[in-house]
C-alpha cells in the first residue's frame, strides 16, 4: 500500500463548479500536511498548509481528518486558471525531511 | 522572492555518460533536495542535504551521487547514465523546520539515449 494516495483524475469540471479532492495517508503518526499546485510543465508550488482545525484561503478550503487519515481540498467557484495538478504532501514522522512524501497528484481541468 | 535555478531545462545524454545537474538557491536555505518525477509515480526523493558537505539518501539513491560544497549549490551526479534515468529532475530548497515549505526549481528534463 502506498503511503500517500490520491486519485490521479482527471477531474473535468465546468467553470463555477465546486470540486473536492481527497488524499489518504497510511501513517497515523503523520504530523504535517500540505497541498501543492503544479501547472503543466512547471514546478510544484505550495498552495496551502493543512491545519488540524482546517483552513481557508479565498475559494480554497483544506481539511484534515485524523480519525480517517485523510486530508481534503475544496475549491469553490472554479476558474479556468485553477486547471493544474494538485499534490498532497505528508510529513510522516519526527521532523526529518526523509519522511516527507508526495502523492502522485490529482489533475483538475476546468472547462469553459 | 525565493529563487531556485537549475543549470539546464533540457538535456540529452548517451548511455554511460557522466551527467552533472546543478542547482542554486538564493535564500540562504539550510536544506536542499533532489527529486525525480515520473508519470504515475509522483515525486521521489533521491538525496537531500541539510548542511554543507552533509547529505542523506532519499528513497531512490541508487545510481546517483550528490555534492554540496557551498550552501547555495547542490549538484546531482549520474556516474554512468542509463535509459531508466530518463526523467524530470527537480531541485528544491527549504528553510529549517517548522517551515516545511519547499521551493522548487523549474526542473531539468533529462533524456538518456
Amino acid at each position: 500500500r502506498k503511503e500517500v494516495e490520491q486519485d490521479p483524475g482527471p477531474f473535468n469540471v465546468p467553470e463555477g463548479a465546486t470540486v473536492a479532492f481527497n488524499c489518504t495517508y497510511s501513517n497515523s503518526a503523520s504530523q504535517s500536511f500540505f497541498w501543492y499546485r503544479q501547472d503543466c510543465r512547471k514546478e510544484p508550488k505550495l498552495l496551502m498548509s493543512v491545519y488540524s482545525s482546517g483552513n481557508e484561503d479565498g475559494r480554497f478550503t483544506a481539511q484534515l481528518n485524523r480519525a480517517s487519515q485523510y486530508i481534503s481540498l475544496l475549491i469553490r467557484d472554479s476558474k479556468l486558471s485553477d486547471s493544474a495538478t494538485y499534490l498532497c504532501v505528508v510529513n510522516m514522522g519526527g521532523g526529518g525531511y526523509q519522511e516527507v512524501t508526495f502523492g502522485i497528484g490529482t489533475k483538475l481541468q476546468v472547462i469553459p | 522572492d525565493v529563487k531556485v535555478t537549475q543549470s539546464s531545462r533540457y538535456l540529452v545524454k548517451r548511455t554511460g555518460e557522466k551527467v552533472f545537474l546543478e542547482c542554486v538557491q538564493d535564500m540562504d536555505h539550510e536544506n536542499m533536495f533532489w527529486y525525480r518525477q515520473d508519470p504515475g509515480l509522483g515525486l521521489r526523493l533521491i538525496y537531500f542535504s541539510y548542511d554543507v558537505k552533509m547529505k542523506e539518501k532519499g528513497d531512490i539513491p541508487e545510481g546517483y551521487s550528490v555534492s554540496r560544497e557551498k550552501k547555495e549549490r547542490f549538484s546531482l551526479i549520474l556516474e554512468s547514465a542509463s535509459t531508466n534515468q530518463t526523467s524530470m529532475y527537480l531541485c528544491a530548497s527549504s528553510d529549517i523546520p517548522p517551515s516545511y515549505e519547499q521551493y522548487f526549481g523549474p526542473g531539468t528534463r533529462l533524456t538518456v539515449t
Side-chain angles (χ1 to χ4, degrees), chain A residues 14-25:
Chain A
E15 265 187 295
T18 295
V19 61
F21 313 131
N22 282 346
C23 165
T24 59
Y25 59 93

Side-chain angles (χ1 to χ4, degrees), chain A residues 14-99:
Chain A
E15 265 187 295
T18 295
V19 61
F21 313 131
N22 282 346
C23 165
T24 59
Y25 59 93
S26 59
N27 188 335
S28 59
S30 298
Q31 298 183 356
S32 310
F33 308 88
F34 310 88
W35 284 102
Y36 278 68
R37 170 190 169 131
Q38 186 172 23
D39 293 308
C40 188
R41 302 183 191 281
K42 298 281 192 178
E43 71 273 20
K45 293 184 180 179
L46 181 67
L47 178 66
M48 57 200 309
S49 302
V50 187
Y51 305 121
S52 296
S53 56
N55 51 312
E56 187 173 314
D57 183 2
R59 297 181 293 108
F60 297 81
T61 300
Q63 298 273 353
L64 167 63
N65 186 318
R66 284 196 183 272
S68 300
Q69 293 182 208
Y70 73 88
I71 64 172
S72 63
L73 178 67
L74 181 80
I75 306 174
R76 289 180 296 278
D77 188 23
S78 299
K79 311 288 184 193
L80 295 176
S81 57
D82 294 334
S83 297
T85 297
Y86 292 85
L87 306 175
C88 165
V89 182
V90 177
N91 179 7
M92 294 290 184
Y97 279 96
Q98 63 271 37
E99 304 289 347

Side-chain angles (χ1 to χ4, degrees), chain B residues 22-36:
Chain B
E22 298 217 317
C23 174
V24 178
Q25 52 98 0
D26 67 358
M27 281 303 289
D28 202 36
H29 282 167
E30 304 290 330
N31 305 293
M32 296 188 75
F33 311 82
W34 275 107
Y35 295 90
R36 63 177 285 178

Side-chain angles (χ1 to χ4, degrees), chain A residues 2 31-32 34 36 38 41-46 87 91 93-98 100-105, chain B residues 9 31 33 35 37 40-43 45 48 57 59 90 94-97 99-102 104-107:
Chain A
K2 291 184 181 176
Q31 298 183 356
S32 310
F34 310 88
Y36 278 68
Q38 186 172 23
R41 302 183 191 281
K42 298 281 192 178
E43 71 273 20
K45 293 184 180 179
L46 181 67
L87 306 175
N91 179 7
Y97 279 96
Q98 63 271 37
V100 174
T101 302
F102 284 75
I104 63 171
Chain B
R9 291 300 303 271
N31 305 293
F33 311 82
Y35 295 90
Q37 187 174 30
L41 297 176
L43 273 84
L45 182 63
F48 74 99
K57 292 180 180 179
D59 299 320
L90 287 158
S94 75
D95 209 344
I96 57 174
S99 169
Y100 282 102
E101 180 176 1
Q102 296 189 30
F104 286 84

Side-chain angles (χ1 to χ4, degrees), chain B residues 2 5-6 18 32 36 61 69-70 72 76 79 84 87 91-92 96 107 110:
Chain B
V2 176
T5 57
Q6 295 184 226
K18 191 168 185 175
M32 296 188 75
R36 63 177 285 178
E69 296 296 320
K70 293 184 178 182
E72 68 271 18
L76 179 70
E79 294 290 341
N84 64 12
S87 186
C91 174
I96 57 174
L110 173 67

